[in-house]
């Protein structure tokens, strides 16, 4: 990884500090492998309004004349030479995100109370069925959509005990929470802006709801439209129970919260689980992802990558949250089915791009392109300096040997200082996103023992910095 960073400025080689280059319009590419451009519409619209110029990027004709790529699929299909990247170039994927977004990996390799247990071989499934004789199972396609209830006998096993086709099994969550008799899922957008230190945010302004087309029937699973969100699903904004509230200028979160409050249930019970699920799962996968980032050997290391994903949850009748899957570069296609969603989708994209520094207003540049002069007034050491009582006195004013000096500017590595400046930048530009890793407020951060357990040294130091920042700037509390 590159050690030295001049925050928000670019290397002289790629963008010399000249008047001509300071006016250069940044370029973005939408990278896709099929002809479906509709899923990119909200993204394209916002990025263009932020002042970027779109340039084509085809799988058979890759080039490096861009500032920012939004791609669907992920990095393996993009096939760039990452050591060729310029410092400021950014891509909307983090190496190793597959540990989270691959359905079978999530279901079979995640230790989480939010993820229903998954099985990739006959033996483990049989063992579970023996211990839980009433359990039902769904078969899920590893790469595509498609969910159906199956018995163990109906699963296709090879003689070696592996599944015959490209699918896996998962425990079926019975007893879903129903609204007007319909099962629904509740989807949340989450952004990972840095993998080390880990910084994760989610769009907490609303829920994205999808209802099954037909009422749920616990005694009959012949029709998938009663228990799966298929292509026939009803978008939340068209479901009468939701629509009667959202037609009055509210979002999909409000009808759900009102519904719970009427029953004397504090709706915070849902949001607390959402935050816990997102943070614990990403924290669990982060070390593996960091390894993948390091293996990629990109020119500017971890700083090229960020990720926007969608966590798809369902609720059971006891209001327990279950994670169904996590989608990479979620579908933000607003038409024809999700007409009312366009504004929300664009709001998600705008706020997310601001958060990761792509929506700034200086000379149409993103954060990686500011000149040294501009960087100085956008953000400087004063914004991140903490613990003057420690840093100005012995031993820290003489030596950095003691760990108590780790947060003193003169004792920090350039790269950690840069990380803190990015963290500060994000905190000030969170907009409609809320931080989940590190935990969102200082009380939670200080008391969350599970969070502190097994934290890497970088994450521990970063969390300590946040606690100190709260003492100097109340917006960090
Ligand atoms: N283990 C499960 N228990 C109960 N219901 C499930 C389970 N897995 C999936 N479902 C139902 O099927 C829906 C779709 O599942 P999932 O998100 O895993 O697959 P998908 O076909 O990729 O769908 P999409 O990409 O539209 O989210 C879920 O929203 C949920 O209603």
């Amino acid at each position: 990884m590159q050690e030295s960073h001049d925050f928000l400025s670019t290397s002289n080689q790629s963008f010399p500090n000249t008047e001509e280059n300071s006016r250069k319009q940044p370029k973005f590419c939408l990278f896709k492998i099929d002809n479906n451009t509709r899923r990119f519409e909200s993204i394209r619209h916002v990025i263009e309004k932020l002042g970027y110029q779109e340039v084509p990027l085809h799988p058979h004709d890759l080039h490096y004349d861009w500032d920012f790529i939004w791609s669907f699929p992920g990095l393996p299909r993009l096939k760039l030479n990452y050591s060729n990247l310029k410092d400021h170039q950014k891509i909307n994927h983090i190496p190793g995100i597959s540990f989270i977004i691959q359905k079978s990996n999530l279901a079979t390799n995640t230790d989480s109370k939010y993820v229903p247990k998954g099985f990739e071989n006959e033996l483990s499934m049989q063992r579970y069925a023996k211990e839980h004789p009433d359990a039902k199972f769904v078969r899920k396609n590893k790469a595509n959509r498609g969910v159906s209830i199956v018995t163990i006998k109906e699963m296709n096993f090879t003689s070696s005990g592996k599944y015959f086709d490209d699918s896996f099994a998962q425990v079926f969550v019975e007893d879903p929470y129903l609204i007007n008799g319909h099962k629904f899922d509740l989807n949340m957008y989450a952004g990972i802006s840095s993998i080390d230190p880990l910084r994760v945010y989610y769009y907490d302004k609303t829920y994205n709801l999808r209802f099954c087309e037909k009422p749920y029937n616990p005694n009959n699973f012949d029709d998938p439209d009663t228990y799966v969100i298929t292509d026939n699903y009803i978008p939340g904004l068209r479901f009468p129970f939701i629509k009667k509230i959202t037609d009055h200028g509210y979002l999909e979160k409000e009808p759900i919260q009102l519904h719970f409050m009427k029953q004397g249930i504090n709706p915070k019970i849902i949001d607390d689980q959402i935050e816990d699920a997102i943070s614990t799962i990403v924290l669990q996968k982060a070390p593996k992802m960091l390894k993948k980032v390091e293996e990629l050997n990109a020119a500017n290391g971890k700083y090229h990558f960020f990720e926007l994903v969608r966590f798809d949850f369902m609720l059971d009748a006891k209001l327990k949250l279950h994670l169904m899957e996590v989608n990479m570069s979620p579908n933000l296609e607003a038409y024809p089915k999700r007409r009312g969603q366009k504004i929300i989708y664009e709001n998600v994209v705008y706020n997310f791009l601001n958060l990761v520094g792509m929506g700034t207003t200086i000379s149409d540049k993103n954060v990686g392109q500011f000149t040294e002069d501009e960087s100085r007034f956008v953000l400087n050491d004063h914004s991140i300096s903490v613990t003057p009582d420690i840093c100005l006195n012995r031993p820290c004013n003489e030596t950095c040997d003691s760990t108590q000096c780790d947060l003193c500017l003169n004792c920090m590595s350039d790269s950690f200082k840069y990380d803190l400046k990015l963290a500060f930048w994000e905190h000030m530009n969170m907009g409609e996103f809320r931080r989940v890793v590190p935990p969102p407020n200082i009380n939670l951060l200080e008391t969350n023992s599970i969070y502190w357990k097994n934290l890497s040294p970088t994450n521990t130091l970063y969390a300590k910095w946040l606690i100190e920042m709260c003492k100097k700037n109340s917006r960090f509390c």
Side-chain angles (χ1 to χ4, degrees):
M1 300 232 167
Q2 182 155 317
E3 268 296 300
S4 163
H5 293 280
D6 190 5
F7 179 67
L8 310 181
S9 75
T10 181
S11 73
N12 286 340
Q13 198 188 2
S14 35
F15 284 91
N17 179 9
T18 63
E19 189 65 12
E20 189 192 333
N21 274 325
S22 70
R23 292 224 183 92
K24 197 172 164 224
Q25 187 180 16
K27 295 175 185 164
F28 80 99
C29 303
L30 292 177
F31 180 80
K32 53 195 183 307
I33 47 167
D34 58 24
N35 288 328
N36 179 5
T37 54
R38 288 202 309 231
R39 69 177 297 131
F40 291 115
E41 268 166 18
S42 305
I43 295 161
R44 175 181 273 143
H45 189 219
V46 174
I47 298 178
E48 281 177 355
K49 294 286 176 205
L50 287 172
Y52 288 77
Q53 176 200 353
E54 184 172 356
V55 291
L57 184 68
H58 300 294
H60 51 272
D61 186 18
L62 292 175
H63 64 83
Y64 294 83
D65 186 17
W66 43 265
D67 299 290
F68 167 41
I69 292 181
W70 191 286
S71 131
F72 179 80
L75 295 179
R77 301 290 287 272
L78 193 50
K79 293 200 170 83
L80 290 170
N81 181 345
Y82 295 94
S83 56
N84 279 353
L85 298 184
K86 293 176 202 135
D87 283 0
H88 73 284
Q89 288 181 305
K90 302 238 182 199
I91 305 170
N92 72 319
H93 294 302
I94 297 179
I97 193 70
S98 56
F99 292 116
I100 296 177
I101 57 108
Q102 256 177 18
K103 289 189 226 186
S104 53
N105 207 323
L106 182 75
T108 58
N109 285 322
T110 309
D111 179 16
S112 167
K113 61 183 175 189
Y114 299 103
V115 181
K117 200 165 171 40
F119 311 92
E120 280 193 298
N121 66 63
E122 186 175 16
L123 197 64
S124 60
M125 191 175 172
Q126 275 172 343
R127 209 177 287 146
Y128 185 92
K130 209 169 169 190
E131 286 164 17
H132 305 84
D134 296 329
K136 289 191 174 58
F137 299 93
V138 280
R139 176 170 46 211
K140 287 184 161 185
N141 197 308
K142 278 188 183 172
N144 295 309
R145 301 193 71 198
V147 176
S148 55
I149 289 199
V150 285
T151 60
I152 298 189
K153 280 187 201 132
E154 284 165 336
M155 294 298 295
N156 291 324
F157 293 109
T158 60
S159 50
S160 65
K162 295 259 184 214
Y163 288 127
F164 175 67
D165 54 13
D166 210 9
S167 55
F168 67 100
Q170 189 175 42
V171 173
F172 179 65
V173 180
E174 297 182 62
D175 206 12
Y177 193 92
L178 304 178
I179 291 190
N180 286 0
H182 289 248
K183 179 175 168 180
F184 62 98
D185 72 0
L186 185 158
N187 307 328
M188 303 304 299
Y189 299 97
I192 307 173
S193 60
S194 163
I195 202 69
D196 182 50
L198 187 61
R199 297 194 300 273
V200 186
Y201 303 80
Y202 81 108
Y203 185 76
D204 73 332
K205 185 176 178 176
T206 188
Y207 309 140
N208 183 26
L209 300 174
R210 303 184 302 177
F211 288 80
C212 285
E213 190 203 8
K214 297 177 185 164
Y216 188 77
N217 180 350
N219 303 313
N220 185 344
F221 294 103
D222 291 344
D223 185 349
D225 282 328
T226 61
Y227 68 94
V228 180
I229 304 297
T230 66
D231 287 344
N232 302 325
Y233 77 88
I234 309 170
L237 292 177
R238 292 209 199 146
F239 194 74
F241 178 93
I242 303 293
K243 190 174 175 333
K244 70 175 186 240
I245 310 266
T246 54
D247 277 353
H248 295 279
Y250 295 99
L251 293 170
E252 288 165 82
K253 192 168 183 172
E254 274 93 16
I256 297 288
Q257 292 192 323
L258 284 175
H259 172 72
F260 286 136
M261 284 189 295
K262 268 187 202 158
Q263 297 169 58
I265 299 166
N266 183 348
K268 203 171 164 296
I269 189 173
I270 314 277
D271 292 347
D272 286 350
Q273 290 183 82
I274 290 171
E275 288 186 9
D276 191 43
I278 296 175
S279 59
T280 49
I281 289 168
V282 182
L283 266 164
Q284 191 179 127
K285 306 287 181 180
K288 284 184 182 170
M289 289 167 69
L290 180 60
K291 204 158 167 264
K292 291 278 177 199
V293 172
E294 286 166 352
E295 279 168 15
L296 207 59
N297 250 331
N300 200 12
K302 61 190 179 183
Y303 298 105
H304 296 293
F305 310 108
F306 58 80
E307 190 87 44
L308 179 72
V309 291
R310 195 186 73 200
F311 280 70
D312 292 355
F313 296 105
M314 67 168 277
L315 270 180
D316 69 20
K318 293 188 182 122
L319 296 183
K320 184 175 176 313
L321 202 68
H322 302 267
L323 180 62
M324 301 288 98
E325 69 163 334
V326 182
N327 293 288
M328 177 184 71
S329 183
N331 188 350
L332 299 171
E333 176 187 339
Y335 300 103
K337 195 157 187 171
R338 311 179 187 99
R339 186 168 292 271
Q341 293 287 55
K342 186 170 166 27
I343 299 167
I344 293 298
Y345 289 166
E346 291 180 354
N347 194 239
V348 169
V349 174
Y350 173 71
N351 278 278
F352 180 64
L353 291 178
N354 261 338
L355 177 82
V356 292
M358 311 301 293
T360 60
T361 50
I362 295 184
S363 310
D364 299 330
K365 295 174 186 174
N366 72 42
V367 285
Q369 293 175 288
F370 291 170
T371 63
E372 213 175 315
D373 174 41
E374 289 162 349
S375 306
R376 269 199 287 271
F377 68 76
V378 174
L379 190 55
N380 49 51
D381 284 1
H382 305 138
S383 304
I384 59 158
S385 59
V386 291
T387 58
D389 49 330
I390 294 174
C391 298
L392 297 176
N393 291 307
R394 288 174 74 188
C396 302
N397 62 348
E398 291 175 352
T399 163
C400 294
D401 289 348
S402 165
T403 53
Q404 61 173 311
C405 313
D406 287 352
L407 288 175
C408 301
L409 287 176
N410 56 315
C411 296
M412 277 179 202
S413 68
D414 282 347
S415 63
F416 189 63
K417 210 188 269 186
Y418 182 70
D419 284 326
L420 292 188
K421 288 180 176 177
L422 287 178
F424 181 89
W425 172 276
E426 285 167 15
H427 196 87
M428 292 306 180
N429 290 282
M430 257 191 296
E432 313 246 28
F433 276 74
R434 172 177 161 87
R435 197 180 71 218
V436 276
V437 182
N441 66 52
I442 291 303
N443 283 342
L444 268 179
L445 176 59
E446 282 179 315
T447 56
N448 190 332
S449 53
I450 295 176
Y451 171 72
W452 288 94
K453 216 175 127 199
N454 300 328
L455 274 193
S456 72
T458 318
N459 279 306
T460 307
L461 199 56
Y462 169 50
K464 284 185 181 158
W465 174 78
L466 281 172
I467 291 169
E468 293 303 326
M469 279 302 283
C470 165
K471 294 178 189 160
K472 119 172 195 172
N473 181 340
S474 59
R475 279 195 271 181
F476 277 78
C477 307

